[in-house]
Amino acid sequence: MELTTFWFLLITVLWAGYFLLEGFDFGVGILLPFVGRDDRSRRLAINTIGPVWDGNEVWLIVAGGATFAAFPEWYATLFSGFFLPLLLILVSLIVRGVAFEYRGKRDGVTWRKRWDISIFVCSLVPAVLWGVAFGNILRGVPLDARHEYVGGFVNLLNPYALLGGLTTLALFTLHGAVFLALKTDGPMREQSGQIAETMAMVAVPVAAGFLLWTGIAHGDGWGIAVSVLAALTLVAAIPLTRARREGWAFLATAATLVLAVAALFVTLFPDVMPSTLDPANSLTVHNASSTPYTLRVMTWVAVFFTPVVLLYQGWTYWVFRKRLKLSDIPA
């Protein structure tokens, strides 16, 4: 296997891990106003992701760093062309992290309400914009002969990309509801299960529409096959949610997100950013990559450290595997 292909696959894994883990983080934040009838309930919801949310964001940092090191021209074009949406995502992630830490610093009702609103908004915005961003990457953007983005912000707000944003929003919200049902007990578990049922009925047609559009406009054999698997796991989440099999339902929504990311990258390969002006202007794994020596050094680093990180994060989730209930939250 060529090193360029290896790093394309590794970046795919990193984005799949990020969507899988940060996806339920965003979902819990989006659902915070709906499952938290009072401050203790909201604290219960936040505590389900309290030990892991910051670790989940490391996947984004590593994915961005890997893209910068392995495919610098892809990184440069992506961050210059998508500057505004990526800036909004970055600001949202910063404010969201501050909100988690600061909402408990004072006892005032207004103080906590403002931070709760910040958590909701700053979970909602990235959940939509990530879908819009990846929808545009798959659809293609106007790149000139120097591989520079020559469109504007309005070009990114096309129907296909906006449907991608609605898809990630629906999937993350469903994923978060299932996670809350899995991690809590008592009234919140039941309420989260009911929300998951409703969100599953919303997510299925939205995601099916996006996957169908992708298959017709951009799909190849392997991309369509992986998309079908993603659709099947999403449909499987409906009866599992209704039966209150939270563990299996979470595995189903997790598989859906991982397979959806895999389908996107499989469909994209060997391009990393297609050009809508001229296919010759597209960025590929070959013309956007670093030198072979850089890729070799990075590969040895990745081979050593990636299993260590995975083992550590798996251990973290094992330690905090216990369900939480309202009685665990002090008044």
Side-chain angles (χ1 to χ4, degrees), residues 33-229:
F34 307 101
V35 298
R37 301 299 183 183
D38 52 37
D39 184 64
R40 287 184 70 196
S41 298
R42 288 188 288 273
R43 285 160 59 197
L44 174 61
I46 292 173
N47 282 4
T48 62
I49 59 174
V52 297
W53 69 266
D54 48 355
N56 293 344
E57 290 187 353
V58 173
W59 286 78
L60 173 62
I61 298 172
V62 177
T67 304
F68 171 75
F71 301 103
E73 194 158 358
W74 181 18
Y75 182 93
T77 303
L78 178 66
F79 276 80
S80 60
F82 291 28
F83 177 78
L84 183 55
L86 292 177
L87 177 63
L88 290 174
I89 291 173
L90 178 61
V91 171
S92 297
L93 294 178
I94 292 172
V95 174
R96 183 170 172 267
V98 172
F100 283 137
E101 299 295 337
Y102 272 58
R103 76 175 303 277
K105 299 297 184 182
R106 288 168 55 180
D107 291 330
V109 174
T110 303
W111 170 269
R112 294 192 175 188
K113 184 177 181 181
R114 287 173 179 172
W115 289 119
D116 288 342
I117 293 173
S118 298
I119 293 172
F120 168 73
V121 173
C122 294
S123 299
L124 179 70
V125 170
V128 174
L129 290 183
W130 279 129
V132 173
F134 276 97
N136 276 292
I137 292 173
L138 186 58
R139 173 180 177 269
V141 293
L143 300 180
D144 62 15
R146 296 182 298 173
H147 302 147
E148 294 182 1
Y149 181 77
V150 293
F153 178 70
V154 177
N155 292 88
L156 303 178
L157 302 179
N158 54 81
Y160 177 75
L162 292 176
L163 181 59
L166 289 177
T167 301
T168 51
L169 175 62
L171 291 177
F172 288 170
T173 307
L174 169 61
H175 197 40
V178 173
F179 178 79
L180 277 175
L182 175 65
K183 283 292 293 178
T184 59
D185 210 347
M188 182 166 289
R189 178 184 181 184
E190 182 60 29
Q191 185 183 16
S192 300
Q194 293 173 358
I195 294 175
E197 283 188 53
T198 303
M199 283 308 306
M201 301 305 295
V202 174
V204 167
V206 173
F210 181 72
L211 292 174
L212 180 62
W213 192 341
T214 301
I216 293 174
H218 312 288
D220 56 12
W222 284 107
I224 293 174
V226 180
S227 296
V228 170
L229 289 176

